[in-house]
Amino acid sequence: MSATQRILKVVEPAIFGHRWITLAILLLITAFLGWKAAQLEPNAGWLKMVPKEHPYMDTFLDYYDEFGGANRILVAIRNKEGDIYQPDFMEKLRKLTDDVFFIPGVQRERVSSMFTPNILYVEVQPTGLSGSTVVPANYEPTPEMMKQLRSNVAKANIVGRLVSEDQRAAMVVAELLERDPVTGEAIDYTEVGRKLEEIRAKYEDGNTTVHVIGFAKVVHDMTEASTEVVIFFAVTLLFTGLLLWLYVGSFLLGMLPLLCSVAAVVWEMGLLSLVGFGLDPFAILVPFLVLAVSVSHGVQYVNAWAAEVALGLSSYRASLATFRRLAIPGTIALITDTAGFLTIYLINIDVIREMSLNAAFGIAAIIVTNKALMPILLTVTPVRDPEAFQRKQERRNAIFDGVWRFIAKHFTRTPAAVATLAVGGLVLVWSVYTYPSLKIGTVGEGVPELRPDSRFNQDARFIARNFGIALDQLNIIAETEEDACIKYELMAEIDRFAWHMKNLPEVRETMTLMDLSKLAYAACRKDG
């Protein structure tokens, strides 16, 4: 007895000998996993997107608490009627700064805008350097104060960072914590995004526009778009069902692969929730992949069953014969797919690992729904007129018969085969030639996960074109000996390094400890 026969001897009785019990068990499991799937919640995190074992990330994580990270939100407010030095606009900017400051999850000591005390200017006076905060403590929305603010902004070197190049927009920059310091729970990015939208609605009017970017806003927008994803999934099901109906030639047979595929997606989501994971917005397309793979295997199975019925077998006998012919090869193919997705788990990036498990759960579910549930359902699929069914299958098979005969007759002969291989070779040469120009990463402004005309990508384009600051910020940390900050040689070396970096064409601005020291010293002299 071969290995295949031994496997079938064990599996067949469970599926065909006790099919009603097996069907009831499968339906109960599907109902339970459907209930678990309904509890699935979005689960996104900025640190999930990065390779934590990479040497670069080692440095990043070592100094994450001291220097912060790149999980920032940028809120720009623009005056459509003039520059920012208008009392009404400055009052909006002041209140906007306060609102961003109090968003749950914001690291408040790292909020920056013209109105925060960590933004200073420095100037040269006959007595030496002096300076203070850009917005003085005695701020009043008067014309004289507006003139002073214009002067302070020019001296603070924040044009391009917190003030736009044309000085018609101003920026509030904040950094998010990974966990709420009060509850200890992970930050809810969708809630942060909702707060940002409330801020936008509060300050945006006929004279003012508000532009928001950041990882939290991406997650919020993708989560908000989940309704569209559900609609797309429903449309996919509709068109897939219609195509299956046309291809198989029977509405009932066309719906069976679709029904089993939906069950596989339900199992996938339920298993993901059962093991304690949420659905990352960046993995929202995995269910479509599972649906496509399941439909492919399901159609193959239904086609083979229909061919057996056309030969005169009953529904039960046809399902059994199809199972014996396709169950082992199909299962091995699906196990191979599952192993392939699990291999991706070796990449030490949490979002990729979750996506790997998500896809592996889905493909594993297909083994059950397509190799157990579908054979049982096909055993009870009625065929009222076998002869009419056989004639319908023959007509369906003959639709493209001429095309396949033409291909078999011509493309298997030497001239056509050589030409086909030559065309394939040219495509290969062209692909190898153009491969070095392949862009890795984001090639446009904004994020590719959202539509080019989405509000986020429009905001990203606005900020990129009007400010030198964006989400691309390079933090360079110098590790030195103890008390290095008071050693001239070391600080001078860092200062020279910053000067060289600032003169790179790709670098807009640099800020070092020495720059901050100069500003702080100047501010102390003026305040003193």
Side-chain angles (χ1 to χ4, degrees), residues 14-317:
I15 296 178
F16 295 95
H18 308 283
R19 51 182 172 160
W20 297 114
I21 297 176
T22 304
L23 179 61
I25 293 173
L26 290 177
L27 291 178
L28 287 174
I29 294 175
T30 302
F32 171 73
L33 292 177
W35 173 67
K36 293 297 293 182
Q39 301 175 6
L40 199 64
E41 296 181 353
N43 179 25
W46 188 82
L47 287 178
K48 290 169 57 178
M49 309 289 292
V50 296
K52 295 181 183 178
E53 290 186 354
H54 193 279
Y56 174 87
M57 294 309 302
D58 288 342
T59 304
F60 175 83
L61 294 173
D62 286 344
Y63 294 96
Y64 185 77
D65 292 335
E66 290 81 3
F67 292 99
N71 189 9
R72 297 185 297 167
I73 52 176
L74 278 63
V75 184
I77 181 169
R78 176 175 178 265
N79 189 359
K80 297 168 64 176
E81 299 283 320
D83 59 30
I84 65 173
Y85 306 107
Q86 310 293 332
D88 291 343
F89 181 86
M90 295 303 295
E91 184 64 14
K92 287 182 180 179
L93 177 60
R94 184 185 67 81
K95 293 180 178 179
L96 174 65
T97 303
D98 291 341
D99 287 346
V100 172
F101 184 85
F102 287 108
I103 291 177
V106 165
Q107 196 167 4
R108 293 172 181 173
E109 65 271 20
R110 289 180 177 152
V111 176
S112 299
S113 87
M114 285 176 57
F115 278 90
T116 55
N118 55 1
I119 302 303
L120 309 170
Y121 74 91
V122 63
E123 62 182 346
V124 179
Q125 292 187 346
T127 56
L129 296 175
S130 67
S132 183
T133 56
V134 170
V135 178
N138 62 343
Y139 170 79
E140 292 289 342
T142 62
E144 294 76 14
M145 180 61 70
M146 296 302 111
K147 292 181 180 178
Q148 182 180 344
L149 290 181
R150 185 189 297 273
S151 174
N152 292 351
V153 165
K155 291 180 285 189
N157 195 26
I158 59 173
V159 174
R161 293 195 296 124
L162 297 177
V163 176
S164 64
E165 302 284 357
D166 59 4
Q167 301 198 37
R168 298 182 62 179
M171 178 91 75
V172 180
V173 180
E175 190 168 314
L176 294 178
L177 298 164
E178 283 299 308
R179 294 192 172 275
D180 191 306
V182 177
T183 64
E185 297 180 355
I187 294 298
D188 186 347
Y189 287 100
T190 56
E191 178 64 18
V192 173
R194 189 180 64 80
K195 292 288 186 182
L196 290 170
E197 282 301 321
E198 289 178 359
I199 291 173
R200 188 202 301 272
K202 181 178 179 180
Y203 295 102
E204 205 163 49
D205 54 35
N207 299 328
T208 308
T209 59
V210 178
H211 309 268
V212 186
I213 62 173
F215 177 76
K217 196 65 181 67
V218 175
V219 173
H220 171 264
D221 287 0
M222 292 181 67
T223 305
E224 288 291 306
S226 59
T227 304
E228 293 183 26
V229 174
V230 172
I231 294 174
F232 284 137
F233 195 81
V235 171
T236 301
L237 292 178
L238 175 63
F239 279 100
T240 303
L242 290 174
L243 291 172
L244 289 175
W245 183 6
L246 292 173
Y247 178 73
V248 178
S250 167
F251 176 78
L252 181 59
L253 292 179
M255 292 304 103
L256 276 180
L258 198 60
L259 176 65
C260 293
S261 300
V262 172
V265 173
V266 170
W267 279 50
E268 170 208 353
M269 298 294 191
L271 289 170
L272 201 63
S273 176
L274 191 63
V275 299
F277 286 103
L279 182 62
D280 195 288
F282 291 90
I284 199 69
L285 295 181
V286 174
F288 289 88
L289 170 66
V290 173
L291 181 74
V293 174
S294 182
V295 167
S296 174
H297 281 260
V299 170
Q300 182 186 27
Y301 201 96
V302 168
N303 266 339
W305 177 88
E308 297 290 347
V309 172
L311 294 176
L313 296 181
S314 65
S315 296
Y316 180 89
R317 300 299 301 177

Side-chain angles (χ1 to χ4, degrees), residues 204-499:
E204 205 163 49
D205 54 35
N207 299 328
T208 308
T209 59
V210 178
H211 309 268
V212 186
I213 62 173
F215 177 76
K217 196 65 181 67
V218 175
V219 173
H220 171 264
D221 287 0
M222 292 181 67
T223 305
E224 288 291 306
S226 59
T227 304
E228 293 183 26
V229 174
V230 172
I231 294 174
F232 284 137
F233 195 81
V235 171
T236 301
L237 292 178
L238 175 63
F239 279 100
T240 303
L242 290 174
L243 291 172
L244 289 175
W245 183 6
L246 292 173
Y247 178 73
V248 178
S250 167
F251 176 78
L252 181 59
L253 292 179
M255 292 304 103
L256 276 180
L258 198 60
L259 176 65
C260 293
S261 300
V262 172
V265 173
V266 170
W267 279 50
E268 170 208 353
M269 298 294 191
L271 289 170
L272 201 63
S273 176
L274 191 63
V275 299
F277 286 103
L279 182 62
D280 195 288
F282 291 90
I284 199 69
L285 295 181
V286 174
F288 289 88
L289 170 66
V290 173
L291 181 74
V293 174
S294 182
V295 167
S296 174
H297 281 260
V299 170
Q300 182 186 27
Y301 201 96
V302 168
N303 266 339
W305 177 88
E308 297 290 347
V309 172
L311 294 176
L313 296 181
S314 65
S315 296
Y316 180 89
R317 300 299 301 177
S319 182
L320 180 58
T322 303
F323 180 83
R324 288 174 174 173
R325 183 150 54 97
L326 296 180
I328 299 300
T331 301
I332 291 175
L334 291 170
I335 290 175
T336 303
D337 291 340
T338 305
F341 283 116
L342 288 176
T343 301
I344 301 175
Y345 189 84
L346 297 175
I347 300 174
N348 190 22
I349 300 177
D350 289 345
V351 67
I352 294 179
R353 287 186 163 183
E354 289 186 18
M355 197 180 304
S356 166
L357 290 176
N358 191 354
F361 285 151
I363 302 300
I366 295 174
I367 297 175
V368 179
T369 58
N370 275 35
K371 309 309 176 188
L373 180 60
M374 182 175 288
I376 295 173
L377 295 177
L378 284 173
T379 61
V380 295
T381 301
V383 180
R384 295 185 178 85
D385 189 347
E387 293 183 1
F389 184 83
Q390 181 179 1
R391 290 193 296 270
K392 179 185 285 188
Q393 292 300 311
E394 289 175 352
R395 289 196 301 269
R396 181 177 68 88
N397 293 334
I399 292 176
F400 294 103
D401 191 56
V403 176
W404 304 129
R405 287 181 181 274
F406 176 83
I407 293 175
K409 180 180 179 181
H410 294 87
F411 283 83
T412 55
R413 297 186 178 182
T414 303
V418 171
T420 304
L421 292 174
V423 172
L426 290 174
V427 173
L428 175 61
V429 171
W430 176 81
S431 301
V432 172
Y433 175 76
T434 58
Y435 175 76
S437 62
L438 177 67
K439 303 291 185 182
I440 298 176
T442 304
V443 296
E445 295 170 327
V447 293
E449 290 84 3
L450 298 172
R451 295 176 179 174
D453 60 346
S454 66
R455 183 61 191 267
F456 181 93
N457 284 336
Q458 291 181 30
D459 290 348
R461 284 191 288 271
F462 172 83
I463 290 175
R465 293 169 185 175
N466 290 275
F467 293 86
I469 188 173
L471 294 180
D472 292 330
Q473 178 173 310
L474 180 63
N475 293 333
I476 300 175
I477 298 171
E479 293 183 343
T480 63
E481 60 189 46
E482 190 176 354
D483 296 329
C485 297
I486 58 175
K487 294 185 177 180
Y488 171 79
E489 296 80 6
L490 294 176
M491 291 298 99
E493 187 68 20
I494 294 174
D495 198 33
R496 283 193 294 272
F497 174 78
W499 183 86

